[in-house]
Amino acid sequence: MSTFHTADPGFDWRAGELRWPVTSDVRPGLSGVVASGTRVSWLDPGSGTLAYRGHPVQLLAEAHPFEEVAYLLVSGELARDGAPAFGRFRADLRGSAVLPDAVLALLREQDPTTHPTRLLRAGISAVGCHEEGSGEELSGERHWRELRILGQVAALVAHIARIRRGGPELRPVAGASLAELVLAGLLAGAPRPEQVELLDLLWVLYADHGMDAPTFTSMIVASCRADPYYNVVAGLSALRGERQGGATERVLELLLSLDDADHARRRVRELLRANERLPGFGHRVYRRPDPRAALLRRRASELCARLGCEPLFEIAHAIEQEAGPPLSRRGVFININFYAAVLFHVLGADGPLIPCLYAVARTAGMVARVREALEHGSRIYRPRSEYAGP
Ligand code: ACO
């Protein structure tokens, strides 16, 4: 951290004065900098608390499907089945999960080996071109209000999953929940209720996580008043990188490359000796176990025992135990992605598809925060750089 003085003075027109010199701290990665106020979620890295609109995320995940939590994030109200406002929201959300034929054709025209996150990025841009009014109404407030884009992202992921697995074209069932829709794309037949419940649980845990890179990126784009399609493409692009949501793909790659728990322990020692980063470990804000990880570990253990995939869980657990002591000394613990990768795999996803599944959930948090910022007339983001040249 260093202090600098800039030759570009801050001008406060309300005070009618130039404030000189402008002084600021430079924090790599904006670490610890508060960039906005919010009522959407509360994240306390010290105690490991994560709550959406005041509700602890673990309780929400066990008791509420994703669509109810999306409603909570956006409206601030806990959804009650049968409440007219929530009923309308859910019907609109599900109704928006339909893609124009031209977008479906665009997805199908691509090489089927294209990375699914690339298809998702192209698909969101293409949907934006088809949205009536998105050309003129740049702030896109109608779209934010209707939350159409969340349904559209889910529909894109469902179709991308089906294209990736091959087989007949996906014919979405009208009125299906977003989790049912995406699982229908992923699986050969209709999803079972416990699969729907598991995807909803994963999505609830992934729905919002403060000002992480994807959400912050989308807030920057929103502060310029670009429409939601530019915004979500930008936010989800940040999610793709291997230090962020892309880590889920690396976790699964690692797990599937190992024969058993002994092999896992040997591989961890090799990776740490080589000073490599283990995917699914470490976090920008937590210096303690990620509060979402314990719940996922328990789910993964139960599910693998029930479905006969214990070896996969044992490999994951051996990695966690072997890496735990050396990494915890540096404040590095497993993050949400570690056991989530196991669970997404159990649901039928291959590694490259997992960031897309994550993307559906995070779109809800991004939409909630952008709406909140637009309602409060957020100022355009504009930090400065510390000049170190000649
Ligand atoms: N494996 C081994 N060592 C690690 C790991 C890891 N996964 N993560 C951090 N470290 C080490 C670093 O090498 C560093 O050691 P050093 O001081 O000797 O150089 C120390 O721990 C501190 O690391 P930072 O770079 O300060 O961690 P930072 O907070 O900047 O990065 C990040 C966080 C990017 C998540 C990092 O931990 C990482 O790359 N993890 C692996 C990828 C991953 O799982 N990302 C998902 C994050 S969660 C999410 O996005 C939902």
Side-chain angles (χ1 to χ4, degrees):
M1 192 163 73
S2 62
T3 302
F4 73 98
H5 301 286
T6 170
D8 177 11
F11 176 62
D12 182 344
W13 65 268
R14 291 181 185 83
E17 63 182 25
L18 292 178
R19 291 184 177 168
W20 168 258
V22 174
T23 306
S24 178
D25 291 331
V26 176
R27 290 167 180 249
L30 298 180
S31 176
V33 172
V34 173
S36 76
T38 184
R39 289 177 169 272
V40 174
S41 76
W42 159 246
L43 194 178
D44 177 18
S47 63
T49 308
L50 175 63
Y52 301 159
R53 303 277 187 183
H55 301 274
V57 71
Q58 292 91 337
L59 299 184
L60 290 171
E62 301 269 27
H64 295 271
F66 172 68
E67 290 168 341
E68 293 187 10
V69 172
Y71 179 74
L72 172 70
L73 286 168
V74 168
S75 71
E77 305 285 325
L78 203 53
R80 309 240 174 259
D81 238 348
F86 173 62
R88 277 195 301 277
F89 167 89
R90 189 167 57 185
D92 287 349
L93 187 60
R94 293 179 181 185
S96 67
V98 178
L99 300 177
D101 288 343
V103 174
L104 289 172
L106 179 123
L107 294 178
R108 281 196 296 267
E109 271 163 21
Q110 308 310 307
D111 181 333
T113 62
T114 306
H115 198 282
T117 55
R118 290 181 182 219
L119 291 177
L120 180 59
R121 186 189 58 192
I124 298 167
S125 294
V127 172
C129 296
H130 288 269
E131 279 295 311
E132 197 192 338
S134 61
E136 313 91 64
E137 193 208 356
L138 267 182
S139 69
E141 279 170 25
R142 183 175 68 83
H143 301 286
W144 291 122
R145 210 166 44 241
E146 293 173 4
L147 217 70
R148 287 177 59 74
I149 201 161
L150 174 58
Q152 291 165 332
V153 169
L156 284 164
V157 172
H159 285 280
I160 290 168
R162 175 52 62 89
I163 290 168
R164 196 162 173 81
R165 85 183 303 282
E169 193 179 320
L170 175 64
R171 299 258 168 248
V173 177
S177 75
L178 298 192
E180 287 166 339
L181 169 68
V182 168
L183 286 166
L186 196 59
L187 304 168
R192 294 192 304 276
E194 63 271 20
Q195 292 173 309
V196 176
E197 190 263 343
L198 177 59
L199 184 56
D200 271 324
L201 178 134
L202 284 158
W203 277 352
V204 169
L205 295 180
Y206 271 115
D208 186 80
H209 206 234
M211 293 285 271
D212 66 351
T215 302
F216 185 39
T217 304
S218 72
M219 291 189 66
I220 293 170
V221 179
S223 82
C224 306
R225 302 299 190 268
D227 86 32
Y229 295 88
Y230 293 99
N231 185 305
V232 170
V233 167
L236 296 183
S237 299
L239 188 149
R240 194 270 170 277
E242 69 173 28
R243 292 215 168 165
Q244 231 283 336
T248 46
E249 185 178 346
R250 298 278 105 80
V251 173
L252 194 60
E253 246 170 44
L254 175 66
L255 296 177
L256 297 181
S257 73
L258 300 166
D259 301 329
D260 54 26
D262 277 345
H263 189 191
R265 282 187 276 269
R266 282 200 307 281
R267 186 78 189 118
V268 167
R269 289 195 291 272
E270 278 165 21
L271 290 170
L272 292 182
R273 260 199 309 277
N275 226 5
E276 300 247 1
R277 289 184 180 218
L278 293 184
F281 282 77
H283 204 281
R284 270 300 306 276
V285 294
Y286 297 119
R287 293 296 181 234
R288 49 174 297 142
D290 183 325
R292 302 162 295 179
L295 176 54
L296 294 182
R297 183 197 296 109
R298 181 156 50 76
R299 280 296 181 116
S301 161
E302 288 164 6
L303 207 65
C304 287
R306 189 144 51 83
L307 300 180
C309 54
E310 292 100 328
L312 183 65
F313 179 79
E314 282 161 15
I315 287 171
H317 200 46
I319 293 177
E320 188 188 0
Q321 287 183 320
E322 190 66 28
L327 288 184
S328 61
R329 284 196 285 277
R330 300 188 214 167
V332 174
F333 298 85
I334 55 164
N335 58 50
I336 183 173
N337 294 334
F338 191 71
Y339 285 105
V342 174
L343 291 167
F344 280 127
H345 181 64
V346 168
L347 279 177
D350 64 345
L353 194 68
I354 299 178
C356 291
L357 296 170
Y358 174 169
V360 178
R362 186 50 56 83
T363 303
M366 290 187 335
V367 167
R369 282 173 182 267
V370 168
R371 279 166 54 113
E372 181 185 52
L374 290 175
E375 275 164 24
H376 291 86
S378 79
R379 204 171 185 193
I380 192 164
Y381 280 100
R382 180 63 166 94
R384 300 177 187 204
S385 49
E386 184 183 41
Y387 180 64

